[in-house]
Amino acid sequence: MAIETLLKEKRIFRPSKKLVENSNVMQWMKEHKIKTYDELLKVASKKRSWFWGELAKELEWFSPWKKVLDWKPPYAKWFIGGKFNIVHNALDRHANSFRKNKLAYIWEGEPGEVRKITYGELYREVNKFANALKELGVKKGDRVAIYLPMIPELPISMLACAKIGAIHSVVFSGYSAKALQHRINDASAKVLITVDGFYRHGKVIKLKDSADEALKDAPSVKKVVVVKRAGNNIKMKRDRDLWWHDIIEKQKPYCKTVQLEANTPLYILYTSGTTGTPKGVIHDHGGYAVGTYATLKWVFDLKEEDVWWCAADIGWVTGHSYIVYAPLMLGVTSVMYEGAPTYPDPDRVWQIIEKYGVTVFYTAPTAVRMFMRFGRSWVKKHDLSTLRLLGSVGEPINPSAWIWYYNVIGNKKCPIMDTYWQTETGMFVITPLPITPLKPGSATKPFPSIEADVYDENGKPLTNKGGDLVLTTPYPAMLKTLYKNPSRYEKTYWSKFKNMYLTGDVAHKDKDGYIWVQGREDDVLNVAGHRIGTAEVESALVSHPAVVEAAVVGKPDKIRGTVIKAFVILKQGTKPSSTLVKDLKYHVGEEIGHIAKPAEIVFVDDLPKTRSGKIMRRVIEAIELGKPTGDISTLRNPETVNALIKLKNNRK
Ligand code: WT7
C-alpha cells in the first residue's frame, strides 16, 4: 500500500539571474555547450562515464584511470587502475601553488581563542604527524581510530592517515566509552588518537577518561596519541600513551604521499543509525574524492574567495566530506568551530559569520528550529550581509523552518540548498543546484547523472504517492561495502529491489519530478489503514507559530489500530494549555488532513536525539509503550530519557 502524501506546499523560489549566470555549474555547462538544467540532467544520465570522467580531470592523478566505471551490481568500481591519493589533491598541490599562504581553516575554540592555519602550515603539520604514525608502526591498510573533538588535530590526523594509506575510523567525540570500544574492536584499530579534554557549554569534557574506559577491553590498540587541549589532569599509561606534541617534535615536515589504486579504502565511518547496530561504511580515495569535490563545487558554488562554514561535526559524514576533504580539494577557506552553537549566548553562530565574513553557511533543520526558538532579535544584532547561499542537511526541512531560514538568515537573497544524502552515499545525491527553482521542503532533483525513483512494494514507480526512495544508478562516492560484512551490505541495501539501492527513506515524487522525503521507512505509522510518514505530521505541527520542534509516534488503539501521539517543544515564552492542544490538533487537520490529527499532545522541554540531531522516535515509542529503551549510547542528550519517563509516570 502506498504511503499518504499530505503536505501541500506550492511556493516556488527562483534563483537570481546573477547567481545563475556566475555559477560554477553554468560555467561548466557553457564549456560543454549545454544550455539548460534539464539538458544537463539528460546528458549526464545518458553519458554517465563521460560526465564523471570530465569532472575527475579537474583533480590530479599520478597516472590516469583505464576505465571510468565498472558496474557489477551491487559493487561499483570507479576510475579503475587510476593512481591517486585524496591528500595529494587536498593538500600537496596547494602547498606548491599560490594557495600556500591562503587560509585553509579559521578555527575558533569555544572560549574564544583563534587559530588561523594556511595550506602551507596544514601541509607541514600533516606531514609531521604522518611521519610520527609511521614511527608508531602504522602501515598501509592499518586502521587508526580517532576520538577527537572539533580541533585542528582532527583533520590533521585524518589527512596523515590517508597520506600513508592507513584507514581512519573517526568516532564522534560525543559518543560514550562503550560506543568507542565497539567501533575500535570492530575495526581492530592499532592506534587511537584522542585528547585530554575540550570545551562544550563552558565545561571541560574529559575525553581521555572515556578513552581509558573504552581501552579496558580493546586489545588491538597498541599506542594512544593524546593531544593537549584543555590541560585537565589525565593519567598517561606508560608504554602505551604518548603526547602528540612530543611525538611530532622531531619529525620532518615532509612525508611522501603514497600512490594508491583509486578504489583503495580511505575510511570507515559507522552510521549513526536510529535503529539497529552500527554499520561500518567504507569509502575509497578516487570515486569519493571526485564525488565530494564535484558536488561541493556545483551545489554550494564555492569560488576562490568564498568563506565556507559547514557547521556540522567532523565525527559524522557531513564533516568528513564537507569540512575536511571537499573544501580542501577546492582550496577554499573554511571556518571550524569547537563548541556549542549557543554558547555563551544564542547568537554565537551569527557572531562568527559576521566576524569572518562567511559567505556560504550549511547547517541542519534541527539547528534552524532551535535558532527560531530563540527568536530573530539575536540574529538582528549581527551583519550577515556577506551570506550568499545557505544549506540544509540531516532530515526533511519543514517549510516553515525553510521560510524562516530564507527570510531571517538569508535576508531573502540566499537560495537554500536542501541536500539529501547519507553516510552511505558519501556525497549529495538529491539536491538543488544554484540554477534549480526551489520548493521549500523538497530536496528537488538528483544530482546530474544520478537517477532516483519512488517504488511501491512491488517495485512499481509511483507519482504523487509515498513509497520507497531508491537510487537506480551508481555514482562515484557510493559506499564500497560494509566493513568485513558484505552480506549485510547486500541484504540491507540491495535485496528489496533487484540492483536498486534502497535508501530506507520514504518519499514521493511530484509531477515536476521533485522528490519530497517524508522520513525513515521505520518511522511510518499505520493509522486506521492509512500509512503516514512521521515527518509530515511533525512538519504540520512545526508550521504552527507556537511550536519549534515536534516528534510523533504511534500508539496502539483498540478502535483505530494506531493513533498518533505528539511530543511538542514550544517557542520560548509560550505557555502550554488545553486550548493550545485543541488549537494544534485543529491546525494539523487543516494543514494535512483529518486522519493525521494527533489523538494526544504533550509538551516537553527536549527530545532524545542522535549526535546528528535526528529525533530517536524508537526511544520515545519504547518509553510510551513501557518497553526497554534499548541501546541509548549514541544519544546526544540521554537525560531526556528520564525526563520522558518521569512525565509519563506523572500522568498516570
Ligand atoms: C539520513 C542519513 C548525510 C548527512 C546527514 C546524516 C536523512 C539527510 C536529508 C534531507 C530529508 C534527509 C535521511 C537519510 N536526511 N538529509 N536533505 N532531506 N532527509 O547522515 O546519519 O547517514 O543520515 O538522513 O533520512 O537517509 P546519516
Side-chain angles (χ1 to χ4, degrees):
M1 188 173 67
I3 292 149
E4 312 277 338
T5 64
L6 304 166
L7 186 75
K8 312 168 213 105
E9 177 56 57
K10 294 268 185 295
R11 288 168 284 197
I12 295 186
F13 290 74
R14 289 179 199 281
S16 75
K17 217 174 152 177
K18 189 172 149 225
L19 183 78
V20 171
E21 277 309 306
N22 294 327
S23 65
N24 288 337
V25 57
M26 198 44 114
Q27 180 67 34
W28 193 91
M29 285 162 63
K30 278 183 193 145
E31 281 162 20
H32 293 82
K33 308 216 161 27
I34 294 169
K35 291 207 178 56
T36 62
Y37 178 44
D38 286 341
E39 191 186 338
L40 172 67
L41 296 179
K42 232 178 250 152
V43 172
S45 277
K46 232 169 123 189
K47 305 203 285 180
R48 181 164 300 110
S49 292
W50 168 82
F51 174 74
W52 286 109
E54 282 296 292
L55 286 163
K57 283 184 205 157
E58 296 183 18
L59 296 176
E60 288 183 11
W61 297 74
F62 300 118
S63 62
W65 57 87
K66 300 202 168 59
K67 197 177 167 199
V68 171
L69 170 64
D70 179 34
W71 178 220
K72 293 201 182 69
Y75 296 97
K77 284 192 178 151
W78 286 87
F79 310 106
I80 304 132
K83 284 271 163 21
F84 188 83
N85 190 310
I86 197 165
V87 180
H88 174 82
N89 285 279
L91 273 188
D92 304 0
R93 63 173 179 152
H94 305 312
N96 295 311
S97 81
F98 70 95
R99 293 198 187 101
K100 182 172 181 144
N101 296 313
K102 178 178 177 176
L103 293 183
Y105 289 114
I106 302 173
W107 176 85
E108 193 169 295
E110 194 185 69
E113 68 274 59
V114 178
R115 273 170 77 182
K116 293 187 176 174
I117 305 170
T118 64
Y119 274 92
E121 284 163 344
L122 189 64
Y123 171 79
R124 286 193 296 279
E125 292 308 308
V126 167
N127 284 332
K128 281 198 250 171
F129 192 61
N131 284 328
L133 286 176
K134 281 205 224 164
E135 211 173 271
L136 298 180
V138 176
K139 297 200 171 61
K140 181 180 161 187
D142 285 346
R143 277 80 53 215
V144 173
I146 304 176
Y147 188 45
L148 285 175
M150 288 289 284
I151 55 175
E153 286 78 5
L154 175 50
I156 292 170
S157 302
M158 295 162 72
L159 293 159
C161 289
K163 184 159 229 224
I164 61 174
I167 300 169
H168 60 72
S169 165
V170 176
V171 180
F172 174 56
S173 62
Y175 272 156
S176 64
K178 234 192 151 119
L180 172 64
Q181 186 178 69
H182 179 91
R183 287 159 177 75
I184 290 176
N185 290 336
D186 189 74
S188 332
K190 213 172 180 176
V191 168
L192 171 68
I193 304 163
T194 188
V195 72
D196 54 353
F198 66 100
Y199 295 92
R200 188 89 194 171
H201 289 293
K203 290 198 213 70
V204 173
I205 309 290
K206 297 176 179 154
L207 209 64
K208 177 65 162 57
D209 292 355
S210 304
D212 286 338
E213 185 63 34
L215 290 169
K216 280 185 183 158
D217 188 15
S220 61
V221 174
K222 302 291 179 253
K223 294 287 173 200
V224 178
V225 180
V226 186
V227 180
K228 196 178 196 116
R229 158 72 185 123
N232 50 306
N233 251 328
I234 58 165
K235 280 199 206 84
M236 292 291 274
K237 191 170 172 188
R238 235 206 304 165
D239 301 329
R240 188 196 70 185
D241 299 357
L242 303 154
W243 285 108
W244 174 291
H245 53 261
D246 286 340
I247 62 166
I248 60 161
E249 205 182 58
K250 283 186 257 31
Q251 303 298 342
K252 290 206 174 65
Y254 175 77
C255 169
K256 198 167 158 35
T257 300
V258 295
Q259 303 193 2
L260 302 163
E261 201 280 333
N263 292 272
T264 309
L266 168 65
Y267 68 75
I268 306 172
L269 183 60
Y270 291 86
T271 53
S272 55
T274 42
T275 48
T277 53
K279 306 187 271 279
V281 167
I282 303 263
H283 286 294
D284 68 357
H285 273 255
Y288 176 79
V290 174
T292 54
Y293 163 87
T295 46
L296 187 62
K297 181 170 178 179
W298 282 17
V299 174
F300 285 108
D301 195 41
L302 295 183
K303 311 267 170 45
E304 199 65 67
E305 61 277 16
D306 273 309
V307 179
W308 161 245
W309 187 14
C310 166
D313 195 290
I314 293 175
W316 50 311
V317 75
T318 308
H320 278 58
S321 296
Y322 299 111
I323 299 176
V324 182
Y325 291 110
L328 294 177
M329 281 188 280
L330 282 164
V332 299
T333 299
S334 295
V335 168
M336 187 177 160
Y337 170 59
E338 174 186 40
T342 51
Y343 185 85
D345 289 308
D347 60 342
R348 184 66 182 266
V349 166
W350 320 127
Q351 199 187 0
I352 292 175
I353 291 177
E354 178 175 20
K355 187 167 168 193
Y356 303 113
V358 171
T359 57
V360 187
F361 177 63
Y362 186 36
T363 190
T366 176
V368 174
R369 288 191 297 266
M370 180 184 69
F371 296 131
M372 275 171 84
R373 190 180 189 192
F374 286 117
R376 64 176 73 202
S377 61
W378 289 105
V379 184
K380 294 298 165 207
K381 286 168 76 174
H382 299 278
D383 175 6
L384 304 184
S385 61
T386 49
L387 289 173
R388 64 182 195 90
L389 272 174
L390 296 171
S392 170
V393 62
E395 55 178 318
I397 180 163
N398 40 291
S400 65
W402 196 103
I403 297 289
W404 188 88
Y405 197 23
Y406 184 80
N407 287 345
V408 179
I409 306 306
N411 200 16
K412 302 184 184 173
K413 67 178 174 51
C414 309
I416 296 172
M417 301 293 118
D418 177 359
T419 61
Y420 169 89
W421 58 299
Q422 306 176 311
T423 306
E424 291 87 340
T425 69
M427 63 186 237
F428 314 145
V429 285
I430 300 173
T431 176
L433 297 171
I435 58 173
T436 313
L438 304 173
K439 302 187 187 184
S442 167
T444 74
K445 298 193 178 195
F447 190 80
S449 98
I450 302 177
E451 280 167 44
D453 219 330
V454 173
Y455 285 175
D456 72 4
E457 289 303 300
N458 305 313
K460 226 181 82 212
L462 295 167
T463 302
N464 261 326
K465 284 203 187 85
D468 282 313
L469 176 64
V470 294
L471 302 177
T472 63
T473 56
Y475 47 91
M478 183 176 111
L479 77 164
K480 300 265 109 171
T481 185
L482 293 177
Y483 188 64
K484 284 200 296 207
N485 206 344
S487 63
R488 189 171 180 199
Y489 168 71
E490 289 167 19
K491 195 160 162 269
T492 310
Y493 306 107
W494 302 93
S495 63
K496 185 159 180 181
F497 306 112
K498 198 171 167 7
N499 297 350
M500 304 290 167
Y501 174 83
L502 186 72
T503 62
D505 287 304
V506 168
H508 72 275
K509 203 184 222 185
D510 69 17
K511 60 176 189 345
D512 301 324
Y514 278 53
I515 308 259
W516 301 74
V517 178
Q518 293 169 251
R520 298 293 300 168
E521 163 92 274
D522 315 312
D523 291 336
V524 171
L525 307 173
N526 194 331
V527 180
H530 298 276
R531 297 185 71 206
I532 299 170
T534 48
E536 289 200 313
V537 186
E538 289 161 4
S539 179
L541 282 163
V542 176
S543 71
H544 187 284
V547 176
V548 281
E549 190 118 56
V552 301
V553 299
K555 222 182 137 171
D557 180 84
K558 283 203 187 80
I559 297 155
R560 283 176 287 177
T562 305
V563 292
I564 296 175
K565 172 158 183 175
F567 295 78
V568 167
I569 303 178
L570 293 175
K571 266 207 187 112
Q572 263 189 344
T574 310
K575 291 224 162 53
S577 69
S578 54
T579 326
L580 185 55
V581 170
K582 270 194 213 132
D583 203 30
L584 288 176
K585 288 184 185 175
Y586 174 79
H587 179 75
V588 174
E590 288 296 295
E591 284 290 307
I592 58 175
H594 184 70
I595 51 156
K597 267 191 188 172
E600 214 183 309
I601 296 179
V602 293
F603 300 108
V604 293
D605 291 329
D606 203 0
L607 291 162
K609 284 183 189 156
T610 63
R611 55 176 183 144
S612 52
K614 290 196 209 337
I615 295 168
M616 285 268 242
R617 290 181 195 76
R618 169 176 73 72
V619 171
I620 304 175
E621 198 171 63
I623 295 169
E624 206 38 49
L625 305 180
K627 288 201 229 151
T629 48
D631 179 20
I632 55 164
S633 66
T634 60
L635 279 190
R636 165 187 286 182
N637 50 0
E639 68 281 0
T640 52
V641 171
N642 278 335
L644 284 176
I645 293 173
K646 221 160 138 195
L647 179 73
K648 182 162 185 255
N649 293 339
N650 285 347
R651 279 198 317 270
K652 269 191 195 148

